[in-house]
């Protein structure tokens, strides 16, 4: 749940400043924003298909943290590019990664929780997944206003990569998901 919270606050928040990125970095308009959003959506769709195909062959924990790393690295690269094609590829992979992470966290929680507690625990998950995103919008807006949108995205990506790596390394000690 903490990984979901961190990803929601520092990951999803990139979408809040996408109009600023499109206008200030790429010097384009609404059609470019639509194109980049479409590429991100295609990455999310690809993630759903990929998870359904490989989830039985690759351990859930590797897919969750692989998705975390894929998102963090892709969104970091996105923040450095001024090339539209490269940006669309990085957004594709970033959404592929974060949706892989979120969907498998959801499945893992549903399998780990007793039936009589599932609704309550999933409501907390929904809070971490959707309810904390406005705080991410607040923080990225503040950082972008003072330090620029690219740096704001980079800071979020670094936090996601560092926390995801920390959690992956400490997973056995913390009692998080035993490898399958």
């Amino acid at each position: 749940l903490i990984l979901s919270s961190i990803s929601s606050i520092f990951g999803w928040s990139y979408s809040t400043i996408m109009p600023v990125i499109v206008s200030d970095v790429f010097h384009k308009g609404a059609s470019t924003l639509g194109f980049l959003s479409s590429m991100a959506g295609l990455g999310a769709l690809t993630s759903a298909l990929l998870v359904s195909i490989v989830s039985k062959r690759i351990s859930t924990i590797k897919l969750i943290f692989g998705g975390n790393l894929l998102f963090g690295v892709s969104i970091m690269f996105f923040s450095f590019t001024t090339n539209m094609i490269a940006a669309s590829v990085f957004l594709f992979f970033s959404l592929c990664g974060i949706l892989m992470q979120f969907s498998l966290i959801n499945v893992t929680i549903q399998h780990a929780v007793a039936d009589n507690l599932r609704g309550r625990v999933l409501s907390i998950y929904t809070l971490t997944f959707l309810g904390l995103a406005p705080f991410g919008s607040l923080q990225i807006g503040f950082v972008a206003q003072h330090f620029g949108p690219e740096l704001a995205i980079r800071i979020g990506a670094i936090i996601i990569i560092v926390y995801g790596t920390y959690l992956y390394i400490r997973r056995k000690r913390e009692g998080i998901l035993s490898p399958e």
Side-chain angles (χ1 to χ4, degrees), residues 82-160:
T82 57
N83 180 292
M84 185 62 59
I85 301 302
S88 64
V89 170
F90 293 139
L91 282 176
F92 172 87
F93 283 112
S94 68
L95 263 287
C96 190
I98 201 164
L99 263 291
M100 181 183 308
Q101 173 188 317
F102 278 131
S103 65
L104 288 169
I105 288 173
N106 184 351
V107 167
T108 301
I109 289 171
Q110 289 192 44
H111 286 297
V113 175
D115 290 344
N116 63 332
L117 298 174
R118 187 169 291 129
R120 291 173 225 169
V121 173
L122 285 177
S123 69
I124 294 170
Y125 169 72
T126 302
L127 173 69
T128 67
F129 177 55
L130 298 173
L132 294 179
F135 293 106
S137 297
L138 178 66
Q139 69 81 22
I140 202 165
F142 178 82
V143 175
Q145 180 181 6
H146 291 85
F147 304 105
E150 298 97 332
L151 185 61
I153 290 174
R154 288 177 201 138
I155 290 170
I158 289 168
I159 290 170
I160 287 171

Side-chain angles (χ1 to χ4, degrees), residues 49-96:
L49 295 171
L50 185 65
V51 166
S52 69
I53 292 169
V54 303
S55 64
K56 297 295 182 195
R57 290 180 225 139
I58 301 173
S59 75
T60 302
I61 192 163
K62 288 180 182 172
L63 288 173
I64 289 172
F65 290 108
N68 176 273
L69 187 61
L70 180 61
F71 173 75
V73 169
S74 297
I75 205 73
M76 175 73 78
F77 285 155
F78 170 78
S79 74
F80 282 104
T81 189
T82 57
N83 180 292
M84 185 62 59
I85 301 302
S88 64
V89 170
F90 293 139
L91 282 176
F92 172 87
F93 283 112
S94 68
L95 263 287
C96 190

